[in-house]
Amino acid sequence: MEQGRVQGRERSYRKASQRRAEILSRAIELFAERGVGASLRAIGDAIGVTHAALRYYFASRDELLVEVYRRHERLEHEAPEPDAVSAIAVIERSAERNRSIPGLVELYATLTTDALHGTEHPLTRQFVQDRFRQLRAQLAERIRSGQRSGTIAADIDPDDAAALVIAASDGLQLQWLLDPDTVDVRRALTLLERLLPSAPPPGAGEH
Amino acid sequence: MEQGRVQGRERSYRKASQRRAEILSRAIELFAERGVGASLRAIGDAIGVTHAALRYYFASRDELLVEVYRRHERLEHEAPEPDAVSAIAVIERSAERNRSIPGLVELYATLTTDALHGTEHPLTRQFVQDRFRQLRAQLAERIRSGQRSGTIAADIDPDDAAALVIAASDGLQLQWLLDPDTVDVRRALTLLERLLPSAPPPGAGEH
């Protein structure tokens, strides 16, 4: 009896968890195609889930948006970049992938702006704050490794440089979304290679 | 008679324009202190103006937000930076001024995110698009001038570099708002001086 109840509970937990994952995938597709919906209700309408069902799986619009972004990032990072890849290259590749999914760049911009209004969006603020901290730490480590191998000038502060690289990439993607024919994210990011080279300078005297 | 009517109309126009300016100043103070209010009604409540009066002067929340930012920028740019000031210095000073008014940085982030949802915010989109275009053109010109005087490498694309400098400043201010004790906007922006020096390198042999 007791065991049957536990199995039943596990089954229903698995089912709920599958359903939640299903809703998330549909929301990712929706955001990628059409951008971020205004309300939880509008999102539900668009992906064919009742508002009540959506509320059962996600307590708020914030929770859904954060989970969509988190899931997208997890899928993206299934193959992590090798340690030898430079900070600029990591950020360039991520920006390159985002080119094909402008809706998710929009979602990212929405999350960061919501995060600024922290009292109304405490969950989003925590997520965005943690994400920036982790990303800065990760890129600073790649910059330190470049300094150890002599490709990056030793007097550059790795934390400042990490914040700068992330900022440049975020800001350029935003300008690109507003002016896709004028702003070239990759080309502008490549300028940062002069500041944080990913390989030692070619030997002098070569031509 | 006719002249009297015209004078009356002019008087009432002047009065309306004064009242509008007054509302804008109060909204600037409100945003600087407490960030961007959620709705036109909430903004009206906070600055002690009825919703009806606010609607008389500003057709929408978007129009009010854009006008607040525009007015803030006009006040800021009353003394324009001399031509000789470098692109980085211009953006550093602007970021420095913004440190004291985080509410306005928040307003700026709100405007740019709204601009991405262009179908819902056509006015904001146009404003933000124009602002980025003007700012890129202005900074690109300063970079070209640095190239003519030999301080900036000739093979740097001035438009890419202008977009990069703006992006870095925008993104850093956002990270700073979320982590004021960790992120130092000015110090990180100064790294870009290595890429786009504001003065010729000191003569060789000096120590």
Side-chain angles (χ1 to χ4, degrees):
Chain A
M1 268 295 270
E2 179 55 27
Q3 210 196 343
R5 221 168 26 228
V6 169
Q7 283 176 346
R9 227 182 283 144
E10 268 171 17
R11 242 198 323 273
S12 88
Y13 175 76
R14 258 206 316 277
K15 229 182 111 189
S17 152
Q18 275 168 9
R19 179 80 180 124
R20 195 173 189 271
E22 216 177 278
I23 293 178
L24 277 179
S25 323
R26 275 203 259 166
I28 291 185
E29 281 168 34
L30 172 75
F31 292 173
E33 271 170 37
R34 280 195 272 160
V36 183
S39 67
L40 203 53
R41 195 176 292 274
I43 297 167
D45 285 349
I47 64 176
V49 174
T50 66
H51 186 237
L54 212 51
R55 282 302 300 269
Y56 177 78
Y57 294 104
F58 303 93
S60 62
R61 175 177 177 267
D62 281 14
E63 193 183 312
L64 177 65
L65 296 192
V66 165
E67 284 306 315
V68 165
Y69 197 80
R70 217 194 284 272
R71 194 180 159 85
H72 156 70
E73 283 210 313
R74 252 201 314 267
L75 292 174
E76 239 203 359
H77 295 294
E78 262 172 5
E81 302 281 0
D83 284 353
V85 174
S86 76
I88 309 272
V90 165
I91 218 85
E92 273 177 359
R93 287 185 204 182
S94 163
E96 195 54 44
R97 282 190 299 264
N98 288 346
R99 271 178 68 96
S100 56
I101 35 177
L104 280 163
V105 182
E106 207 188 296
L107 169 60
Y108 175 71
T110 304
L111 288 174
T112 47
T113 304
D114 285 352
L116 298 184
H117 307 117
T119 41
E120 295 153 50
H121 302 278
L123 180 93
T124 305
R125 186 182 183 90
Q126 196 59 58
F127 169 72
V128 173
Q129 237 171 12
D130 290 348
R131 188 185 162 278
F132 273 130
R133 284 175 190 162
Q134 283 159 16
L135 200 51
R136 279 195 300 261
Q138 194 206 106
L139 295 188
E141 196 37 54
R142 288 181 194 267
I143 291 164
R144 268 183 214 104
S145 143
Q147 289 176 321
R148 280 191 298 269
S149 66
T151 54
I152 294 176
D155 61 345
I156 285 180
D157 184 286
D159 297 304
D160 285 350
L164 177 71
V165 169
I166 298 164
S169 174
D170 286 356
L172 283 167
Q173 289 182 61
L174 203 138
Q175 289 181 53
W176 164 72
L177 270 182
L178 288 166
D179 249 329
D181 297 331
T182 310
V183 177
D184 189 315
V185 176
R186 199 196 48 72
R187 231 174 43 207
L189 279 179
T190 304
L191 286 175
L192 287 180
E193 284 270 359
R194 296 172 184 233
L195 190 64
L196 307 165
S198 59
E206 284 176 21
H207 278 276
Chain B
M1 267 294 271
E2 180 54 27
Q3 211 196 343
R5 219 162 35 222
V6 169
Q7 283 176 347
R9 229 183 281 144
E10 266 172 16
R11 242 197 324 273
S12 89
Y13 175 77
R14 258 205 317 277
K15 229 181 112 188
S17 151
Q18 274 168 11
R19 180 79 180 124
R20 195 172 189 273
E22 215 177 280
I23 293 178
L24 277 179
S25 322
R26 276 202 258 165
I28 291 185
E29 280 168 33
L30 172 76
F31 292 172
E33 270 169 37
R34 281 194 271 160
V36 183
S39 67
L40 203 54
R41 196 176 292 274
I43 296 168
D45 284 351
I47 64 175
V49 175
T50 66
H51 186 236
L54 212 51
R55 280 303 300 270
Y56 176 77
Y57 294 104
F58 303 95
S60 62
R61 176 177 177 266
D62 282 13
E63 191 182 314
L64 177 66
L65 296 193
V66 165
E67 284 306 315
V68 165
Y69 197 80
R70 216 194 284 271
R71 195 180 159 85
H72 156 70
E73 282 210 313
R74 251 200 315 267
L75 293 172
E76 239 202 358
H77 295 295
E78 264 173 3
E81 301 281 2
D83 284 352
V85 174
S86 76
I88 309 272
V90 165
I91 218 86
E92 273 177 0
R93 287 186 203 179
S94 162
E96 195 53 44
R97 282 190 299 264
N98 288 346
R99 271 178 68 98
S100 56
I101 34 177
L104 280 163
V105 182
E106 208 187 295
L107 169 60
Y108 176 71
T110 303
L111 288 175
T112 48
T113 304
D114 285 353
L116 297 184
H117 307 119
T119 43
E120 294 152 51
H121 302 278
L123 180 94
T124 306
R125 186 182 183 91
Q126 196 59 57
F127 169 72
V128 173
Q129 239 172 11
D130 290 348
R131 188 187 163 277
F132 273 129
R133 284 176 189 161
Q134 284 159 15
L135 199 50
R136 279 196 300 261
Q138 194 206 106
L139 295 188
E141 196 37 54
R142 288 181 195 267
I143 291 164
R144 268 184 214 103
S145 142
Q147 288 176 321
R148 279 193 298 268
S149 67
T151 54
I152 295 176
D155 62 344
I156 285 181
D157 183 288
D159 297 303
D160 286 350
L164 177 72
V165 169
I166 298 164
S169 174
D170 286 355
L172 283 166
Q173 289 182 62
L174 203 138
Q175 289 181 54
W176 164 72
L177 270 182
L178 288 165
D179 248 329
D181 297 332
T182 311
V183 176
D184 189 315
V185 176
R186 200 196 48 71
R187 230 174 45 207
L189 279 179
T190 303
L191 285 175
L192 287 180
E193 284 269 0
R194 297 172 184 233
L195 191 64
L196 306 166
S198 59
E206 283 175 22
H207 279 274

